Amino acid sequence: MVKRFGPVTAVGGVSFEVRPGECYGFLGPNGAGKTTTLRMICCTARPTSGVLRVFGLDVRRHPRAIKGRLGVVHQGVTLDEALTVRENLLVYARYFGMGAREARSRAEALLAFVELDARAGDRVPKLSGGMQRRLMIARALMGDPELLVLDEPTTGLDPQARHAVWDRLRQLKRRGVTQLLTTHYMEEAEQLCDRVAVVDHGRVVAEGTPQELVHRYVGREVVEVQAADGAAAVVAEHLASLADGCEVAGDRVFLHTQDGEELVHRVRVLGLPVEGVSLRRATLEDVFLRLTGRRLRE
Ligand SMILES: Nc1ncnc2c1ncn2[C@@H]1O[C@H](COP(=O)(O)OP(=O)(O)OP(=O)(O)O)[C@@H](O)[C@H]1O
Ligand SMILES: [Mg+2]
């Protein structure tokens, strides 16, 4: 599918399929087109061209039917600040034509699920950022969705709150809820996602399980070299040919290799302007940097 805003191509032609019951990660730098893609899936933006089916239904012809079967957690906080925690859920239930009694019992169950039952009577501004995120997840679940779409569900959360959200998302997966999420936290994608797509400039540049992508694009180990101030380019130039891959981010040079110990030894004996060398296992973050480059976006 393609999405243009006037002269701006936000999504240049992405193609992917999310299987029932899986957690699918949509990863990419700022401005890559993630939110725009999710908005098309949620039927709040129309594709400019291409084909997009959700639950096998065409988004152009069946937006209402699709919206009734999915839950959305938006990138920004979109709660009603004038209402209490509980009221935010009850108001939302009306979109699904849910009866008052059912809405009430569902709201109580979901508040317990996200551990906000003690705050049910508080207005939204009294909640911390992490609590607001959890409330947004509860709200997205009010309609008992088959597909949960989450646009950066844990941005700005502390480690405890992030783990709490991960735990809830895992529980939902066990119950068979399909999940499509974006995140800038590669550890989050590794923890939660069965498969991920890396998107850049509105196109999918790689797809697979996190482990497959690590093997395919980085290898087993990464030697991280802290270059002396301003020396990263020179250091990278000397070391690139010794490794399977080489990425620079700021003053750090990342060398991809199958045999880290040997490479660490060689870096040490070369006498380059280097302040430190360390060895670690390759991660999805290395894949991301390799595929989407080193420069900051927008
Ligand atoms: N309503 C709009 N009108 C014009 N341009 C838009 C609109 N929405 C998005 N864009 C542009 O489309 C591109 C993709 O934006 P999008 O929000 O989808 O990126 P993203 O991958 O979600 O980024 P981030 O990680 O920062 O949330 C950007 O260049 C953005 O400026
Ligand atoms: Mg976004």
Side-chain angles (χ1 to χ4, degrees), residues 225-238 248 250-253 272-275:
V225 180
Q226 174 68 48
D229 200 15
V234 170
V235 169
E237 204 178 306
H238 278 85
V248 180
D251 280 336
R252 295 202 154 231
V253 180
L272 294 166
V274 158
E275 289 176 356

Short mmCIF file of all heavy atoms in Angstrom, two decimals, residues 225-238 248 250-253 272-275:
data_model
loop_
_atom_site.label_atom_id
_atom_site.label_comp_id
_atom_site.label_asym_id
_atom_site.label_seq_id
_atom_site.Cartn_x
_atom_site.Cartn_y
_atom_site.Cartn_z
N VAL A 225 33.65 -0.61 19.77
CA VAL A 225 34.88 0.13 19.98
C VAL A 225 34.53 1.59 20.28
O VAL A 225 33.83 2.24 19.51
CB VAL A 225 35.79 0.07 18.72
CG1 VAL A 225 37.08 0.85 18.95
CG2 VAL A 225 36.09 -1.37 18.35
N GLN A 226 35.02 2.07 21.43
CA GLN A 226 34.84 3.48 21.76
C GLN A 226 36.04 4.23 21.19
O GLN A 226 37.16 4.09 21.68
CB GLN A 226 34.76 3.65 23.28
CG GLN A 226 34.72 5.10 23.76
CD GLN A 226 33.41 5.81 23.38
OE1 GLN A 226 32.33 5.27 23.60
NE2 GLN A 226 33.53 6.99 22.80
N ALA A 227 35.81 5.02 20.14
CA ALA A 227 36.91 5.75 19.50
C ALA A 227 37.22 7.00 20.31
O ALA A 227 36.35 7.53 21.02
CB ALA A 227 36.52 6.13 18.08
N ALA A 228 38.45 7.49 20.21
CA ALA A 228 38.81 8.75 20.84
C ALA A 228 38.00 9.86 20.16
O ALA A 228 37.48 9.67 19.05
CB ALA A 228 40.30 9.01 20.69
N ASP A 229 37.88 10.99 20.83
CA ASP A 229 37.06 12.10 20.35
C ASP A 229 37.34 12.42 18.88
O ASP A 229 38.48 12.73 18.52
CB ASP A 229 37.34 13.33 21.23
CG ASP A 229 36.21 14.34 21.12
OD1 ASP A 229 35.13 13.96 20.64
OD2 ASP A 229 36.42 15.50 21.53
N GLY A 230 36.34 12.32 18.04
CA GLY A 230 36.47 12.68 16.63
C GLY A 230 37.19 11.67 15.76
O GLY A 230 37.41 11.91 14.57
N ALA A 231 37.55 10.51 16.33
CA ALA A 231 38.37 9.55 15.58
C ALA A 231 37.56 8.38 15.02
O ALA A 231 38.13 7.46 14.42
CB ALA A 231 39.50 9.03 16.47
N ALA A 232 36.23 8.42 15.17
CA ALA A 232 35.43 7.24 14.77
C ALA A 232 35.62 6.86 13.30
O ALA A 232 35.75 5.67 12.98
CB ALA A 232 33.96 7.50 15.08
N ALA A 233 35.65 7.86 12.42
CA ALA A 233 35.76 7.56 10.99
C ALA A 233 37.09 6.87 10.68
O ALA A 233 37.14 5.88 9.93
CB ALA A 233 35.62 8.84 10.18
N VAL A 234 38.17 7.39 11.28
CA VAL A 234 39.50 6.82 11.05
C VAL A 234 39.56 5.38 11.58
O VAL A 234 40.04 4.46 10.91
CB VAL A 234 40.58 7.67 11.76
CG1 VAL A 234 41.93 6.98 11.75
CG2 VAL A 234 40.66 9.04 11.10
N VAL A 235 39.02 5.19 12.79
CA VAL A 235 39.02 3.86 13.40
C VAL A 235 38.22 2.89 12.54
O VAL A 235 38.67 1.77 12.25
CB VAL A 235 38.45 3.93 14.84
CG1 VAL A 235 38.19 2.55 15.40
CG2 VAL A 235 39.40 4.71 15.75
N ALA A 236 37.04 3.34 12.10
CA ALA A 236 36.18 2.48 11.28
C ALA A 236 36.88 2.09 9.98
O ALA A 236 36.82 0.94 9.54
CB ALA A 236 34.87 3.18 10.98
N GLU A 237 37.58 3.03 9.40
CA GLU A 237 38.27 2.78 8.14
C GLU A 237 39.30 1.66 8.28
O GLU A 237 39.42 0.79 7.43
CB GLU A 237 38.96 4.07 7.69
CG GLU A 237 39.21 4.16 6.21
CD GLU A 237 39.85 5.50 5.87
OE1 GLU A 237 39.28 6.54 6.26
OE2 GLU A 237 40.94 5.47 5.27
N HIS A 238 40.02 1.68 9.43
CA HIS A 238 41.03 0.66 9.65
C HIS A 238 40.45 -0.71 9.98
O HIS A 238 41.07 -1.73 9.69
CB HIS A 238 41.97 1.08 10.80
CG HIS A 238 43.04 2.02 10.37
ND1 HIS A 238 42.84 3.39 10.30
CD2 HIS A 238 44.31 1.80 9.96
CE1 HIS A 238 43.95 3.97 9.87
NE2 HIS A 238 44.86 3.02 9.65
N VAL A 248 28.90 2.86 12.35
CA VAL A 248 29.35 3.92 13.25
C VAL A 248 28.14 4.65 13.80
O VAL A 248 27.21 4.97 13.05
CB VAL A 248 30.24 4.94 12.50
CG1 VAL A 248 30.71 6.04 13.44
CG2 VAL A 248 31.43 4.22 11.86
N GLY A 250 27.85 7.89 16.39
CA GLY A 250 28.59 8.83 17.23
C GLY A 250 30.06 8.44 17.27
O GLY A 250 30.68 8.20 16.23
N ASP A 251 30.62 8.33 18.48
CA ASP A 251 32.02 7.95 18.63
C ASP A 251 32.22 6.44 18.73
O ASP A 251 33.31 5.97 19.01
CB ASP A 251 32.60 8.60 19.90
CG ASP A 251 32.97 10.05 19.65
OD1 ASP A 251 33.21 10.41 18.48
OD2 ASP A 251 33.02 10.82 20.62
N ARG A 252 31.15 5.69 18.54
CA ARG A 252 31.25 4.23 18.68
C ARG A 252 31.29 3.55 17.32
O ARG A 252 30.57 3.93 16.41
CB ARG A 252 30.07 3.69 19.47
CG ARG A 252 30.10 4.19 20.87
CD ARG A 252 29.33 3.34 21.83
NE ARG A 252 29.93 3.55 23.11
CZ ARG A 252 30.34 2.58 23.93
NH1 ARG A 252 30.17 1.34 23.62
NH2 ARG A 252 30.92 2.87 25.07
N VAL A 253 32.13 2.54 17.24
CA VAL A 253 32.23 1.75 16.03
C VAL A 253 31.80 0.32 16.38
O VAL A 253 32.31 -0.26 17.33
CB VAL A 253 33.68 1.74 15.48
CG1 VAL A 253 33.78 0.91 14.21
CG2 VAL A 253 34.14 3.18 15.22
N LEU A 272 45.30 1.87 17.48
CA LEU A 272 44.45 2.95 16.95
C LEU A 272 44.02 3.88 18.08
O LEU A 272 44.13 3.53 19.25
CB LEU A 272 43.20 2.31 16.31
CG LEU A 272 43.46 1.46 15.08
CD1 LEU A 272 42.23 0.62 14.74
CD2 LEU A 272 43.85 2.34 13.90
N PRO A 273 43.53 5.09 17.74
CA PRO A 273 43.03 6.02 18.78
C PRO A 273 41.70 5.52 19.37
O PRO A 273 40.62 5.96 18.99
CB PRO A 273 42.85 7.34 18.04
CG PRO A 273 42.70 6.98 16.60
CD PRO A 273 43.44 5.70 16.39
N VAL A 274 41.83 4.58 20.29
CA VAL A 274 40.67 3.89 20.84
C VAL A 274 40.67 3.98 22.36
O VAL A 274 41.73 3.83 22.98
CB VAL A 274 40.73 2.40 20.39
CG1 VAL A 274 39.92 1.52 21.30
CG2 VAL A 274 40.28 2.27 18.94
N GLU A 275 39.52 4.27 22.96
CA GLU A 275 39.46 4.39 24.43
C GLU A 275 38.96 3.14 25.12
O GLU A 275 39.17 2.97 26.33
CB GLU A 275 38.59 5.59 24.81
CG GLU A 275 39.28 6.91 24.49
CD GLU A 275 38.40 8.12 24.76
OE1 GLU A 275 37.23 7.94 25.13
OE2 GLU A 275 38.92 9.23 24.57
#
